[in-house]
Amino acid sequence: MASLEENVLVAIFLLIITLLLLIPCTAIKLCCVAFRKTKRTIHCQCSVCVRSGKYRKSIAKRISNFSTCCNLTLLLFWIFVAVLVFYINYLRLERPQFEPYSILGLEQGASDSEIKKAYRRLSIMYHPDKNPDPEAHKHFVEFISKAYQALTDPVSRSNYAIYGHPDGRQGFHVGVALPQFLLNFGGASGGVILLGVVGIGILLPLIAAVVYLSRSSKYSGNYVMHNTLSAYDNLMKSSLAPRKVLNVLIKASEYMEIPARRSDDEPLQKLFHAVRNELKLDPKNIKAEQAKFWKQHPALIKAELLIQAQLTRETAALPSYLRVDFRRVMELAPRLLEELFKISVMPRSPDAHGWLRPAIGVIELSQCIIQAVPLSARKAAGGSTEGIAPFLQLPHFSEDIVQKIALKQVHTLQDLQEMNLPERAALLTEAAGLSGPQENDVESVLEMMPTLTVELTCETEGEQEIQEGDLVTLCAWVTLRRRNGLTVALPHAPNFPFPKEENFWLLLADPASNEVWVSQKLNFSDEPAAAGAASAAVREAKEAAGASAKEVGAAVKEAVGKVKAGSRLVVGKFLAPSEGSYELCCFCLCDAWIGCDWKSSLTLKVQKRRLPEEEAVEEEEEPEEEDEDYESEYSDDDDDDDEQVQSKKAAKGKKSSGAD
């Protein structure tokens, strides 16, 4: 009986401790899920994207999304709680009930004489005077005596009838809900308690802290290794050509950790011959160039060839084990390219400016990787600065189709987009030879493509002109439009193995000096955050200009309306350079689409910094005009006042003519 009660107490203790920790954790997890900002992202519905299968939510993907470490831990603890509840109920049912007739070996309704005979018979067997066994004494006192009282004593019989026990209502048993061996502090039990306290209270938090610190010291906030960032920073140059960005990208430590196997040699050799034209090897010294290429680190060779396989769409021939490495390379590429872009625009020059040329190269490489378009296709041709690359991102398009529509005077993607629907349908079906469903796929992708417009101003606070050393504020409203009316959508990228969100960057740069003055990333997916940031920036600008509360409220309301309509406000600051006129360019770049970038020129005129004495002279001239108005308005004699004003004007005119 005592051991049964001890087991129940231990189970209750474990249940309470588990629920004290589990209920708050579960509540926090449910709140995070409930208030999580669900991004309504719509992907391309063309047949090519549907066949890719990366947007299909299979049962395995749903299970993998749920089976995170946190979710599985909570699930296991709730299973443990259910087992404890079942165990406690089981022990409660197993607790023996007090049955006096059964204890005395009688049937229900036995007479008093039969009860006395049974009691005497059992007393001879279990009475302490007859049986010295302690268990017999315990059984006699707790069961036989109480059973006899329950059937013969009126008070005990009444208690048994009401409470089920001759002693009446049973009180709670007070005890410590711990196993008995832990309560014995002598011997080995004390060591068990000490090890438990040290393990749970000291070692476990220490191990968790060591794991966290070791991981945080290895990776940055964007889950990119610090060694990778250091290598990118050392390799970044202001003159880095766009075609050389790939050589910097593959130097990431993440790519160096991809294992190199002997079984990779043969498929990589075949892949090398398939993409050799994209490697830009010197044809005059092709053998030496090939030997130099294969002397690189095996991880660098694999990373470059797998990226080239993506650019040239040669991934179908990859074996299964090499396809795993390919997916790893593609999974890391967007993250690494974003960090590489940040390093390129990081302030480096004496004027704290970044570099434009490598930044453009990183964006172009990102676009080609996402759309699986070779870098050679971006070579200017046929009146298009982007070459045929924008067309190759469309479904069912090839170089032959691009040549066919070029005969119809369609040389750029913009020419194709500006055509009306019947003309474009006729062009695609008749000239390009596409079928009806294929033409519908092209229309679907064209509707998904973003169109960017930017309204920007550069001004200094409280001044009409920009002088040397002034803090100039760049305000730009970037508006994104699509023909299907969406603001947020995943790009058409059937050859990229993972869903990829669009990222937009706004740059203000000086192409002549290859310097980036302002750079900022745009976020079109989080509308509430964008509305809050825009309203705060507009309110600050209006209050600094001395606007009234009504004007500030109207401006904030207008800004929030623009954000809801698909616009985002970008505010950047830079120091005005030396005196002169600067021909700047404003870029709005997308890392997922080719040919959808926005570019505009901006002329910035910077005046020479005026001396304080010159500003003081201008401030002194203004009160003189106010004094004249004061005299003319409040003079007692209007005639005398007119004569005084005319005489002052004449004297002033003589002074000015003498100065000339």
Side-chain angles (χ1 to χ4, degrees):
M1 187 71 177
S3 61
L4 183 63
E5 293 181 354
E6 178 185 350
N7 293 336
V8 172
L9 289 174
V10 171
I12 293 175
F13 172 77
L14 293 177
L15 179 64
I16 293 174
I17 294 299
T18 305
L19 289 177
L20 286 176
L21 298 175
L22 187 59
I23 291 177
C25 294
T26 306
I28 293 173
K29 182 66 176 179
L30 293 177
C31 291
C32 293
V33 173
F35 293 100
R36 182 181 298 167
K37 298 175 181 178
T38 58
K39 298 181 179 179
R40 184 174 176 267
T41 55
I42 300 178
H43 58 82
C44 181
Q45 299 295 332
C46 72
S47 61
V48 183
C49 288
V50 172
R51 285 198 303 269
S52 66
K54 64 180 178 180
Y55 302 115
R56 190 181 302 117
K57 294 184 178 179
S58 61
I59 297 177
K61 287 185 178 180
R62 295 176 187 270
I63 294 175
S64 63
N65 292 335
F66 173 78
S67 60
T68 60
C69 182
C70 180
N71 293 341
L72 291 178
T73 303
L74 291 177
L75 180 61
L76 290 176
F77 271 102
W78 278 112
I79 294 175
F80 179 66
V81 168
V83 171
L84 285 178
V85 172
F86 175 79
Y87 180 67
I88 292 172
N89 290 331
Y90 174 77
L91 293 179
R92 183 178 61 84
L93 295 176
E94 287 293 320
R95 184 174 182 177
Q97 300 293 327
F98 189 81
E99 297 290 343
Y101 288 102
S102 300
I103 294 172
L104 297 178
L106 301 173
E107 296 181 356
Q108 294 287 340
S111 62
D112 293 342
S113 60
E114 293 176 345
I115 293 173
K116 291 180 180 179
K117 288 180 182 179
Y119 176 70
R120 290 170 185 164
R121 185 181 71 253
L122 294 175
S123 298
I124 295 173
M125 297 173 58
Y126 293 100
H127 195 277
D129 295 339
K130 304 294 183 180
N131 192 343
D133 188 5
E135 292 295 330
H137 175 259
K138 182 179 180 181
H139 181 71
F140 179 80
V141 173
E142 293 184 358
F143 293 96
I144 298 176
S145 296
K146 291 185 183 297
Y148 181 72
Q149 290 178 4
L151 298 178
T152 58
D153 184 63
V155 177
S156 299
R157 180 177 294 181
S158 176
N159 290 335
Y160 172 70
I162 298 174
Y163 303 109
H165 199 277
D167 293 338
R169 185 187 298 274
Q170 297 297 294
F172 292 101
H173 177 73
V174 180
V176 180
L178 285 175
Q180 190 64 33
F181 74 93
L182 290 180
L183 298 177
N184 182 16
F185 291 94
S189 300
V192 173
I193 296 176
L194 180 61
L195 289 176
V197 172
V198 172
I200 298 176
I202 299 176
L203 292 181
L204 188 60
L206 183 61
I207 293 173
V210 169
V211 172
Y212 173 77
L213 292 176
S214 62
R215 182 173 179 81
S216 61
S217 62
K218 188 177 180 180
Y219 290 90
S220 64
N222 199 20
Y223 298 102
V224 176
M225 291 185 178
H226 290 292
N227 293 337
T228 300
L229 299 180
S230 178
Y232 284 173
D233 185 58
N234 294 331
L235 295 172
M236 183 60 63
K237 299 178 181 179
S238 61
S239 59
L240 186 66
R243 304 191 64 85
K244 298 294 183 181
V245 175
L246 179 58
N247 297 333
V248 178
L249 174 65
I250 62 176
K251 299 299 192 302
S253 299
E254 288 84 348
Y255 289 159
M256 300 295 290
E257 291 183 350
I258 297 177
R261 300 174 290 267
R262 290 185 178 180
S263 57
D264 297 339
D265 294 341
E266 183 178 352
L268 289 180
Q269 287 281 355
K270 295 180 179 179
L271 184 59
F272 172 80
H273 290 290
V275 302
R276 182 169 53 184
N277 294 333
E278 293 294 325
L279 297 176
K280 294 302 177 182
L281 303 178
D282 187 6
K284 297 180 180 179
N285 195 12
I286 189 64
K287 292 185 178 180
E289 291 287 326
Q290 292 182 6
K292 182 180 178 181
F293 177 83
W294 289 106
K295 285 181 180 179
Q296 298 181 94
H297 193 280
L300 300 180
I301 296 174
K302 178 187 285 190
E304 184 172 1
L305 289 178
L306 291 179
I307 293 176
Q308 291 291 352
Q310 168 67 10
L311 295 174
T312 56
R313 304 183 184 182
E314 295 286 345
T315 58
L318 295 177
S320 58
Y321 56 88
L322 201 57
R323 189 177 293 274
V324 175
D325 297 337
F326 166 75
R327 290 180 61 86
R328 178 60 177 167
V329 170
M330 291 297 103
E331 182 182 11
L332 294 171
R335 195 186 312 162
L336 297 175
L337 285 167
E338 183 175 353
E339 292 300 321
L340 192 58
F341 179 86
K342 292 178 181 178
I343 292 175
S344 64
V345 298
M346 185 173 58
R348 295 173 177 270
S349 64
D351 297 328
H353 295 158
W355 294 330
L356 176 62
R357 192 178 186 189
I360 298 295
V362 173
I363 294 296
E364 290 181 354
L365 178 60
S366 176
Q367 294 171 352
C368 290
I369 290 177
I370 301 302
Q371 296 296 336
V373 174
L375 292 173
S376 60
R378 301 190 75 114
K379 185 178 180 181
S384 174
T385 57
E386 294 283 349
I388 64 173
F391 289 109
L392 295 181
Q393 67 185 339
L394 299 176
H396 315 296
F397 262 65
S398 62
E399 294 186 15
D400 294 336
I401 294 179
V402 175
Q403 293 176 0
K404 291 178 181 179
I405 64 174
L407 298 176
K408 300 296 183 179
Q409 303 303 316
V410 179
H411 301 288
T412 64
L413 182 63
Q414 186 178 3
D415 295 339
L416 184 64
Q417 291 175 322
E418 290 177 351
M419 299 176 66
N420 56 46
L421 186 59
E423 292 179 353
R424 186 164 53 245
L427 175 70
L428 295 177
T429 55
E430 297 175 5
L434 299 181
S435 63
Q438 292 176 338
E439 185 267 333
N440 292 333
D441 290 341
V442 176
E443 287 294 336
S444 176
V445 174
L446 292 176
E447 290 180 354
M448 295 286 292
M449 285 188 171
T451 301
L452 300 170
T453 56
V454 182
E455 301 175 3
L456 66 148
T457 58
C458 289
E459 56 186 10
T460 57
E461 184 178 343
E463 297 183 10
Q464 297 294 331
E465 59 184 19
I466 300 175
Q467 300 181 13
E468 298 175 338
D470 283 348
L471 184 62
V472 184
T473 302
L474 169 70
C475 293
W477 279 102
V478 182
T479 304
L480 186 147
R481 294 283 186 270
R482 303 180 202 269
R483 287 171 48 192
N484 56 12
L486 298 175
T487 301
V488 180
L490 297 178
H492 163 80
N495 296 286
F496 193 75
F498 301 98
K500 171 68 173 67
E501 294 183 354
E502 300 171 336
N503 290 323
F504 296 90
W505 294 84
L506 184 74
L507 302 181
L508 180 65
D510 183 6
S513 60
N514 190 33
E515 293 181 343
V516 176
W517 293 13
V518 177
S519 64
Q520 188 167 334
K521 186 178 180 180
L522 300 175
N523 186 4
F524 284 93
S525 59
D526 194 352
E527 183 178 300
S535 59
V538 171
R539 179 179 288 106
E540 181 182 356
K542 290 295 183 181
E543 289 178 352
S548 62
K550 185 177 181 180
E551 294 174 344
V552 172
V556 170
K557 185 177 180 180
E558 182 184 0
V560 173
K562 287 185 177 181
V563 172
K564 292 182 178 179
S567 299
R568 296 294 183 266
L569 177 62
V570 177
V571 178
K573 297 182 182 294
F574 60 93
L575 291 177
S578 57
E579 179 186 9
S581 180
Y582 296 86
E583 296 297 330
L584 305 180
C585 280
C586 184
F587 300 87
C588 190
L589 307 175
C590 178
D591 67 343
W593 294 96
I594 303 176
C596 295
D597 300 331
W598 181 89
K599 178 182 177 182
S600 178
S601 59
L602 173 67
T603 301
L604 181 68
K605 295 183 179 180
V606 181
Q607 305 294 332
K608 186 178 181 180
R609 170 65 64 182
R610 289 179 296 178
L611 298 176
E613 293 80 3
E614 298 177 358
E615 297 180 355
V617 170
E618 292 183 359
E619 293 178 356
E620 290 177 357
E621 292 179 356
E622 295 179 358
E624 292 182 359
E625 297 178 358
E626 295 178 1
D627 292 339
E628 292 176 2
D629 295 340
Y630 178 81
E631 291 178 0
S632 63
E633 184 176 358
Y634 296 100
S635 176
D636 294 336
D637 190 357
D638 295 338
D639 297 336
D640 295 340
D641 181 64
D642 294 339
E643 293 177 359
Q644 291 177 2
V645 171
Q646 292 177 0
S647 62
K648 287 183 179 180
K649 288 183 178 180
K652 197 171 184 180
K654 291 180 180 180
K655 288 182 180 180
S656 61
S657 61
D660 295 337

